[in-house]
Amino acid sequence: MFEFLPQDRDPGTAGTWLLLRGAELAVIEKDGILSLPFGDMPAGGEQESSLYIGQWQGAPCRVVPVGSDTELPAEFQLRGLTSPMPQISIELLSLGGLGRQILSWHENSRFCSRCGKEQRWLPGGWGKVCRQCDTHHFPHIHPCVIVVVRRQGEILMTRKAEWPEGRYSLVAGFLDMGECLEEAVVREVREETGLEIDNVQYIGSQSWPFPSQLMTGFTADYAGGEICIEEDELEDVRWFPVDDLPKLPPKRSISRYLIDNYKDQK
Ligand SMILES: [Zn+2]
């Protein structure tokens, strides 16, 4: 159970540590369960960069980065938050992701983007204010769309060259300025595949804090055109029958949820 609270509400008492090395979370195995370290700040953590983020299981929780070449205590295990099989609970995965997003915002907002001077935290929240020109800045969250395009028992799937061999996923991309989400879905499908769609329906969303995306998931129906691959971005685009799909994105991703949800309906 986690309660997200502002960084300046730290009660100062002992608590748990969300130790992050990039997108890897340090956990300790105790009685067969992986949990967060508790108590004094673990060796290797950068004290001056630690931040209170709220209450986890009734105790203060603080996020702290560790350098890529810092040695951690022997009992610590690092678990990749974006790995296909992270082997930690969904709660720890979400908490680790939030910590990663907070550190990313903190590290990227040290100086004002308007005048270049140093910033400080706004009291009672996660925004910052410039010490010089008083401009307020708030955490950047970037909306993205992802869509299952359907055509008579088939799904439209795309593949990037850098993905593991045989892996396909769904059409996805960032929202442009001035666009609504549904317009972004239509545009991304057109740009990546050359196809037209209709009946765009919102299904659900997922935070993807690597570093700051909000994925919004949709279904849509094929409405016309022939596949024309956007070759700068993609290696392949094709239709797959729902009962003969290629290697898919990992469970816990919204793309996989959208695909499984459609398969279950068939
Ligand atoms: Zn400024």
Side-chain angles (χ1 to χ4, degrees):
M1 179 66 189
F2 177 68
E3 184 186 8
F4 191 29
L5 292 169
Q7 36 71 35
D8 58 359
R9 293 267 297 275
D10 192 339
T13 50
T16 49
W17 292 95
L18 205 56
L19 225 74
L20 287 163
R21 171 181 282 171
E24 290 182 313
L25 176 67
V27 289
I28 292 176
E29 191 173 340
K30 210 171 151 188
D31 304 327
I33 296 168
L34 293 173
S35 55
L36 298 175
F38 186 94
D40 293 336
M41 166 120 103
E46 296 167 10
Q47 180 80 56
E48 68 281 5
S49 303
S50 80
L51 277 174
Y52 175 72
I53 64 168
Q55 297 291 113
W56 166 248
Q57 295 177 342
C61 180
R62 300 177 183 94
V63 63
V64 61
V66 287
S68 55
D69 48 4
T70 307
E71 204 157 314
L72 290 173
E75 69 269 28
F76 283 19
Q77 301 177 27
L78 287 168
R79 294 299 156 106
L81 298 172
T82 56
S83 86
M85 299 285 284
Q87 297 170 307
I88 51 176
S89 67
I90 197 86
E91 290 80 14
L92 277 188
L93 205 58
S94 300
L95 192 59
L98 171 66
R100 186 58 252 153
Q101 191 164 8
I102 287 171
L103 287 180
S104 172
W105 161 242
H106 188 38
E107 289 158 5
N108 290 323
S109 61
R110 287 163 55 217
F111 301 101
C112 175
S113 56
R114 186 156 182 265
C115 77
K117 291 290 189 286
E118 211 177 324
Q119 304 208 97
R120 61 177 172 82
W121 289 107
L122 277 169
W126 290 95
K128 295 193 181 183
V129 58
C130 175
R131 292 177 189 275
Q132 176 75 23
C133 73
D134 214 34
T135 302
H136 289 197
H137 299 268
F138 292 94
H140 302 162
I141 297 168
H142 298 99
C144 295
V145 295
I146 184 162
V147 57
V148 174
V149 181
R150 306 165 295 196
R151 184 182 77 173
Q152 294 171 345
E154 294 178 309
I155 291 178
L156 181 68
M157 303 202 74
T158 66
R159 173 176 161 74
K160 290 187 180 182
E162 64 265 29
W163 288 349
E165 200 180 332
R167 159 89 78 81
Y168 279 74
S169 190
L170 303 174
V171 171
F174 285 93
L175 190 75
D176 265 348
M177 288 192 282
E179 251 179 355
C180 70
L181 294 168
E182 289 79 359
E183 288 169 331
V185 172
V186 172
R187 175 184 53 74
E188 284 291 343
V189 172
R190 190 181 290 143
E191 283 177 6
E192 290 193 2
T193 72
L195 301 179
E196 298 300 324
I197 55 169
D198 60 16
N199 193 25
V200 177
Q201 302 279 340
Y202 174 73
I203 301 297
S205 64
Q206 180 184 37
S207 167
W208 188 250
F210 307 101
S212 53
Q213 290 93 304
L214 174 69
M215 303 300 299
T216 59
F218 293 82
T219 57
D221 292 323
Y222 167 75
E226 294 294 322
I227 288 176
C228 175
I229 302 172
E230 184 184 26
E231 287 179 351
D232 291 349
E233 269 198 48
L234 299 173
E235 181 184 76
D236 193 23
V237 175
R238 63 175 74 181
W239 294 99
F240 284 95
V242 284
D243 54 6
D244 189 19
L245 293 173
K247 205 181 281 179
L248 297 176
K251 297 265 183 195
R252 299 175 168 187
S253 66
I254 191 168
S255 52
R256 183 61 174 272
Y257 174 81
L258 292 169
I259 293 164
D260 289 350
N261 196 41
Y262 179 55
K263 270 167 66 178
D264 289 348
Q265 289 169 7
K266 294 304 290 181

